[in-house]
Amino acid sequence: MNVAVLISGRGSNLEAILEKEKQKELGNAVVSLVVSNIPDAKGLEIAKRYGKKTIVLPPHRNQNRETYDKQLAETLEKNNIDLVVLAGFMRILSPFFVNKFSNKIINIHPSLLPSFPGINAQKQALDYGAKITGCTVHFVDEKVDHGPIILQEVVLVDDSDTEETLAKKILEKEHILLPKAIRLFSEGKLIVEGRKVRIVN
Ligand code: GRF
């Protein structure tokens, strides 16, 4: 099962996935492609270190979302991709793309959705005074940070937490949760029924 990981930056989630693959803990999934929309994304170096094929796809000036997404979809299809993993990919995907890869795109978000969608989720949780937050892996639908939830993990917010310490605690859980979701998907263990995702044995 061919997986493409889409990134825009640091790539720590990508590294966690590649490490699990190396340890043979990614089920039937093989990361066969890493795509970045940002040419100097740090994650590209990580992908190369693990011997992975990388493609940089920066949007052209004035290119509309759908034209970009058509190019992205073609790239993924050419590489026979079965699962698209968004690991810090900082672009909103068009309905065209989401429908083309329906229930085949997963995203990791650093909050317990539906709380704190969008950017700066950790700051949102702190500013709100939440006592718990965490991370969510979900299928991607047409709305941002909205699709059916696959897995969630809780993180406690301490009075002393800053945006940085909270982000670090959440990231540790992200690095476990995202590879786990990929493994479950690759083993055919995720059954989507409307908004609900059933995990079968
Ligand atoms: C993570 O916090 C993820 O939840 C969010 O973007 C960040 C990506 O970090 N979607 P990294 O590039 O994987 O280190």
Side-chain angles (χ1 to χ4, degrees):
M1 210 212 56
N2 288 323
V3 178
V5 182
L6 275 49
I7 60 165
S8 298
R10 180 178 58 184
S12 71
N13 277 289
L14 168 69
E15 186 162 19
I17 295 164
L18 296 177
E19 202 42 47
K20 291 284 180 203
E21 184 184 13
K22 201 169 142 188
Q23 292 161 13
K24 310 253 178 282
E25 286 173 23
L26 211 55
N28 303 317
V30 174
V31 177
S32 48
L33 183 63
V34 174
V35 179
S36 173
N37 62 323
I38 306 288
D40 59 358
K42 282 262 171 294
L44 287 168
E45 292 164 26
I46 297 171
K48 286 179 191 144
R49 187 150 36 85
Y50 281 82
K52 296 298 178 184
K53 176 175 175 181
T54 60
I55 293 180
V56 177
L57 215 57
H60 302 142
R61 197 195 288 252
N62 299 328
Q63 191 177 31
N64 71 34
R65 192 176 301 287
E66 188 151 327
T67 317
Y68 179 90
D69 284 2
K70 281 196 172 131
Q71 209 186 336
L72 179 61
E74 273 168 30
T75 305
L76 299 175
E77 279 172 341
K78 249 188 244 162
N79 286 275
N80 300 313
I81 296 304
D82 306 298
L83 173 67
V84 182
V85 175
L86 309 182
F89 187 61
M90 299 301 284
R91 280 184 67 89
I92 294 171
L93 295 165
S94 59
F96 157 80
F97 188 92
V98 172
N99 290 323
K100 200 165 188 63
F101 292 91
S102 176
N103 288 343
K104 289 180 181 162
I105 313 168
I106 65 176
N107 180 45
I108 178 109
H109 182 75
S111 77
L112 293 176
L113 291 172
S115 291
F116 315 127
I119 57 163
N120 300 328
Q122 302 91 340
K123 181 170 188 305
Q124 290 185 56
L126 278 179
D127 290 351
Y128 199 86
K131 302 288 187 196
I132 58 167
T133 183
C135 51
T136 303
V137 183
H138 64 95
F139 284 109
V140 172
D141 68 5
E142 294 187 11
K143 295 183 196 155
V144 174
D145 299 328
H146 176 269
I149 291 170
I150 302 169
L151 295 169
Q152 292 188 301
E153 189 66 63
V154 171
V155 170
L156 301 183
V157 183
D158 300 321
D159 291 344
S160 59
D161 267 327
T162 62
E163 220 180 305
E164 288 70 33
T165 59
L166 186 58
K168 191 164 175 275
K169 286 196 288 189
I170 296 173
L171 208 54
E172 280 171 23
K173 305 274 183 170
E174 291 183 39
H175 293 165
I176 299 166
L177 218 59
L178 188 53
K180 186 174 172 191
I182 296 170
R183 177 167 54 75
L184 290 169
F185 182 96
S186 80
E187 294 170 342
K189 291 184 175 168
L190 301 178
I191 312 293
V192 186
E193 291 164 348
R195 269 216 61 84
K196 295 190 182 151
V197 180
R198 219 159 28 91
I199 302 177
V200 294
N201 280 317

